[in-house]
Amino acid sequence: MEYLSDRIKALSVSQTLAMAQKSRELKAKGFDIISLSLGEPDFNTPDYIKEAAKKAIDDNYSKYPPVPGYNDLREAISKKFREENGINYSPDQIVVSAGGKHSIINVILTIINPGDEVILFAPYWVSYLDQIILAGGKPVIIEAKLENDFKVKPEQLEAVITGKTRLIIFNSPSNPTGMVYSREEMEKIARIVQKHEGLLILSDEIYEHILFEGEHISMASFEFIYDRVITVNGVSKGYAMTGWRIGYIGAPLWIARACDKLQGQFTSGVCSIAQRAALAAIRSNDGSRKMMRDAFLRRRDLVCGLLKEIKGMKVRVPQGAFYIMPDISSYFGKSDGEIKINNSEDLTLYLLDKAQVALVGGDAFGAPRCIRISYATSDDLLVEAVKRIRAALERLR
Ligand code: GLU
């Protein structure tokens, strides 16, 4: 007899991963699918990082690493936080985990009790919602409209805070919209956090290095809320290291200690070789970070330019990350004579079927009128993908 826990039954399948899997399967069957679903740099990990990993194998980094990460890695992360973000986290305030996703669930499981409210800004990244549900928390969703550049207004935030609100999840540059909050906008949010005793804010800064305009601001750099912020980051996006699975937090000591304790019963310290590679990535920089960021900027301009020529799409030009989230609701109710589009999910399946382009529907991100396009792929493929999308959309009447 199959018997699953209520916990797992309440969990949805990650739509970003599901769509990536679907396109892999179709490609394996010989279909010419262009996948703009999964958000990961198409670049290879830079050579100096790969060399460090090879050396780590030869140097016999094969024993259990310390649960929160090697000391020298935590020291390097502490220095990175100080120099790049203006935040003082001592090495013991840092916990290294198997990717940003793991860092976030550690924090949520550590501080959320069943019934605690957690505020999400929609459009939000898929896994935040399910991770809150997994912990028994109650997601409270604020809708940030496209007309407001997908940013939440301070008064919207104020309006939903109750005595049960424990945590806000903040993400800039944002996955899935690519929007970036300014210092002034962030300070207003920080002031609201400051006013509510016991309220914490998790700042997911994984796209920090993929920023096209302005400067990256860390939530914890507002000193008046430093002790209420958990900063999440990792090497996946900035150094093209998604498969190495290294994320980390900088947090108040009591939270870092609790995450260490949780991780000690769950995964132990993460892969020793990947940690040595991450150390090389964080310690030195051969210019590849900038090269990748410049390529993403060029592609952003390319894709936004092409998308804006498609009549039924509303596009906001993102300032960071490598996603665009157009509003495609003008196609709802239309048909190509065969398939009727009722919602974002239908449009995603239609484009997969008729244009052979894989995207992710907006529902998974709390944005049912939108669709997410990840443009972390080659310029040629992007041009071809948008051409196909346009042709398929033009058949809808
Ligand atoms: N963060 C990436 C994305 O949103 C990776 C996939 C995932 O883990 O959801 O596509």
Side-chain angles (χ1 to χ4, degrees), residues 74-75 77-94 218-223 225-227 229 231 249-253:
R74 293 199 296 158
E75 272 158 21
I77 294 169
S78 162
K79 182 164 177 274
K80 175 253 180 274
F81 273 132
R82 201 168 45 250
E83 291 175 359
E84 290 187 0
N85 308 104
I87 320 171
N88 275 316
Y89 287 127
S90 58
D92 56 357
Q93 289 178 271
I94 287 158
S218 285
M219 199 49 105
S221 67
F222 295 104
E223 277 183 14
I225 55 160
Y226 164 79
D227 58 353
V229 185
T231 309
I249 58 163
L253 195 55

Side-chain angles (χ1 to χ4, degrees), residues 14 16-17 37-39 101 125-127 175 207 237 323 372:
S14 160
T16 46
L17 302 187
S37 54
L38 197 58
K101 193 184 273 184
W125 178 53
V126 265
S127 295
N175 174 4
Y207 292 95
K237 306 291 161 48
Y323 306 103
R372 190 187 81 169

Side-chain angles (χ1 to χ4, degrees), residues 56-57 59-66 70 269-273 275:
I57 295 175
D59 290 350
N60 294 308
Y61 275 92
S62 50
K63 303 283 193 295
Y64 286 127
Y70 286 117
V270 297
C271 171
S272 53
I273 309 302
Q275 286 198 51

Side-chain angles (χ1 to χ4, degrees), residues 206-224:
I206 192 82
Y207 292 95
E208 148 180 42
H209 295 125
I210 306 170
L211 180 68
F212 311 129
E213 287 149 42
E215 51 169 344
H216 175 74
I217 310 293
S218 285
M219 199 49 105
S221 67
F222 295 104
E223 277 183 14
F224 53 90

